[in-house]
Amino acid sequence: MERLVMNEYLNKVLEKTRRLNEEQPEYLQAVEEVLTSIEPVINAHPEFEKLAILERMVEPERCILFRVPWVNDAGQVIVNRGYRIQYSSLIGPYKGGLRFHPSVNLSIMKFLGFEQIFKNALTGLPIGGAKGGSDFDPKGKSEGEIMRFCQSFMTELYRHIGQDVDVPAGDIGVGAREIGYLFGQYKKIKDAYEGGVLTGKDICYGGSLARKEATGYGLMFFMREMLKKHGKSLDGKTVTISGSGNVAIYACQKAYAMGAKVVAMSDSNGCVYDENGIDLETIKKIKEVQRGRIKEYLNFHPNAQYFESVNSSHPIWNIKTDIALPCATQNELNIEEARVLLKNGVIAVGEGANMPCTYEAAKYLIENGVLFAPAKAANAGGVATSAIEMSQNSMRYYYTFEEVEHKLERIMINIFNNCAKASEEFGHSGNYLDGANIAAFKQLSDAMKAQGVV
Ligand code: NDP
């Protein structure tokens, strides 16, 4: 859906971006969302046009595409495509996760890289924006296949990264196991121990305590602050969480710790509903240990219900809830699903995944008074803690779990306050989607002006 803006300069840039990226719907969606919401800032800064601030903001510094050949257990050579989008080094080394999923393509990589520059700015830490990954599907692969793929991926990627250059981390399909194989190969090729070249490492060789928990915990800190500002709390609220991966699991853990009850979680095949509250230990066993399907939850809790996803539908959004947390993937909550959530009385939606709500869904929820925590801000706790992991690696020192969690909590409170302040300053009070985009854009445009035309 094309959005209306009045500012001529913005319209010119939007038109050019659409023309140049016709085949990249997710990328256009992310750019349009940001450019639409920063209109008041552009109106206040006519000098931005001469400096081509927006044109520079929507063009990645570098897009790297590469071949990833590897041998499967049957001896067959397979070729996947690898990506690294080094989007912006304005405020620090390129930083952003790697995603291994069959849906990965240039549009998805660029949208994630673009989102990442704003998210990283919001953390207040010195990290630029990047994203990478491959169309490799880790599902059903043996340990040996996963290791060989990761080694081949790093055999090309290593020449583009470094602890002061570009620092990848995990994302969908890339957890501590994959980061371990990637790190091992990097170290072997470079013959040097650069601890800070990857984040999301295991604790036994330089990872940070609380990194695994950080995105989900951070989401709940943001949610708590947002509810508090509007005189509400998590206590006694029901919560539904899509996904059952890293973000979803630790959002669930923190939601319980904050007094809420999580009644449903999902994976790409369907969702489980447990009116007594989802038993997180069972989910962790199925997903983190057995790497199974969420349906298996019923083997342990036969009174729970399972709803299969048909034709990529998301049955989880039909379940009545006070708070909905999309924590799986992009565009997993559309306008029809938003309508159902609202009809069922949802009071808040928090984006744990990147761009999980379509723009129409997000706008509809906000316009109808649902408190909306946008991904860039609400899920920034993961990358913020990655930056804390990098600083521990540089210092050759470890913080305790409590120290890291405390820093994370402070960062999330700051992010919320900055989004709230920016939304008020530009007359969009309570619209944290616009607030997040405006707060991040202001910092990035200041940095761009300060560094000249490079
Ligand atoms: P994981 O791989 O750990 O988990 C992803 C979960 O989402 C799984 O339950 C998976 O189900 C489900 N899922 C993935 N793709 C789809 C799909 N196309 N349709 C339906 N369900 C799907 O990933 P993370 O938890 O790390 O990441 C989840 C989201 O959070 C992503 O958008 C990511 O970019 C974002 N994010 C992650 C951060 C992190 O620190 N990990 C930081 C900030 C954002 P199945 O098992 O069936 O594939």
Side-chain angles (χ1 to χ4, degrees), residues 99 139 171-173 211 215 244-247 268 293 328 353-354:
R99 175 177 293 190
K139 241 178 249 154
D171 191 76
I172 293 178
R211 171 60 188 94
T215 309
S244 44
N246 175 261
V247 179
S268 48
R293 309 310 302 158
N354 284 311

Side-chain angles (χ1 to χ4, degrees), residues 123-428:
T123 66
L125 300 169
I127 36 179
K131 201 76 189 189
S134 172
D135 56 2
F136 171 76
D137 186 358
K139 241 178 249 154
K141 301 290 188 302
S142 70
E143 278 293 319
E145 289 175 325
I146 299 275
M147 183 175 75
R148 290 194 294 280
F149 176 81
C150 288
Q151 289 174 340
S152 177
F153 188 85
M154 185 53 85
T155 301
E156 172 59 32
L157 186 69
Y158 89 94
R159 69 189 81 242
H160 307 292
I161 63 174
Q163 53 190 0
D164 295 317
V165 179
D166 181 353
V167 181
D171 191 76
I172 293 178
V174 179
R177 171 180 64 168
E178 291 74 17
I179 293 291
Y181 294 143
L182 292 163
F183 185 79
Q185 183 74 353
Y186 181 85
K187 184 163 67 64
K188 182 167 170 102
I189 296 173
K190 294 295 293 274
D191 201 16
Y193 200 101
E194 292 176 37
V197 70
L198 288 163
T199 58
K201 299 182 291 295
D202 203 285
I203 306 300
C204 60
Y205 69 97
S208 174
L209 289 163
R211 171 60 188 94
K212 185 172 67 171
E213 291 83 357
T215 309
Y217 279 22
L219 171 65
M220 295 316 297
F221 288 136
F222 190 103
M223 179 59 71
R224 182 193 66 193
E225 293 306 300
M226 184 172 74
L227 291 171
K228 195 159 70 182
K229 180 147 176 106
H230 296 265
K232 301 179 196 316
S233 85
L234 277 148
D235 202 32
K237 299 290 187 304
T238 50
V239 178
T240 53
I241 306 180
S242 66
S244 44
N246 175 261
V247 179
I249 284 177
Y250 293 97
C252 178
Q253 186 161 303
K254 205 44 145 186
Y256 274 123
M258 290 177 170
K261 181 163 89 169
V262 178
V263 291
M265 291 182 79
S266 68
D267 65 14
S268 48
N269 295 120
C271 79
V272 286
Y273 170 69
D274 189 337
E275 65 174 344
N276 298 319
I278 290 283
D279 173 13
L280 186 59
E281 286 317 304
T282 301
I283 296 283
K284 280 178 152 186
K285 188 150 102 190
I286 296 167
K287 287 294 176 181
E288 293 188 331
V289 183
Q290 299 166 350
R291 295 181 188 271
R293 309 310 302 158
I294 205 155
K295 194 179 185 170
E296 293 158 33
Y297 185 88
L298 268 61
N299 299 341
F300 301 89
H301 299 274
N303 291 332
Q305 288 171 272
Y306 178 71
F307 302 98
E308 185 94 20
S309 163
V310 184
N311 296 331
S312 306
S313 67
H314 308 106
I316 191 162
W317 307 131
N318 293 328
I319 294 168
K320 183 173 165 50
T321 187
D322 297 318
I323 295 170
L325 304 176
C327 294
T329 193
Q330 64 276 353
N331 292 331
E332 54 160 320
L333 200 167
N334 61 29
I335 178 79
E336 284 79 32
E337 291 158 335
R339 286 201 180 99
V340 175
L341 280 172
L342 188 72
K343 193 168 89 202
N344 285 336
V346 77
I347 60 162
V349 172
E351 295 189 309
N354 284 311
M355 207 169 73
C357 297
T358 64
Y359 182 74
E360 291 71 32
K363 194 163 168 279
Y364 173 82
L365 290 166
I366 294 167
E367 284 173 359
N368 282 282
V370 175
L371 297 175
F372 188 80
K376 282 184 201 78
N379 73 23
V383 74
T385 308
S386 276
I388 297 171
E389 180 175 335
M390 288 161 74
S391 59
Q392 292 171 85
N393 296 145
S394 300
M395 290 188 293
R396 279 136 172 76
Y397 185 72
Y398 287 104
Y399 296 131
T400 63
F401 189 98
E402 290 70 27
E403 283 171 322
V404 180
E405 190 182 0
H406 181 67
K407 288 178 198 300
L408 168 67
E409 187 173 5
R410 297 301 322 159
I411 289 169
M412 295 313 298
I413 293 172
N414 267 338
I415 293 177
F416 175 74
N417 289 338
N418 288 339
C419 293
K421 196 165 144 235
S423 73
E424 281 155 23
E425 197 182 327
F426 286 91
H428 296 197

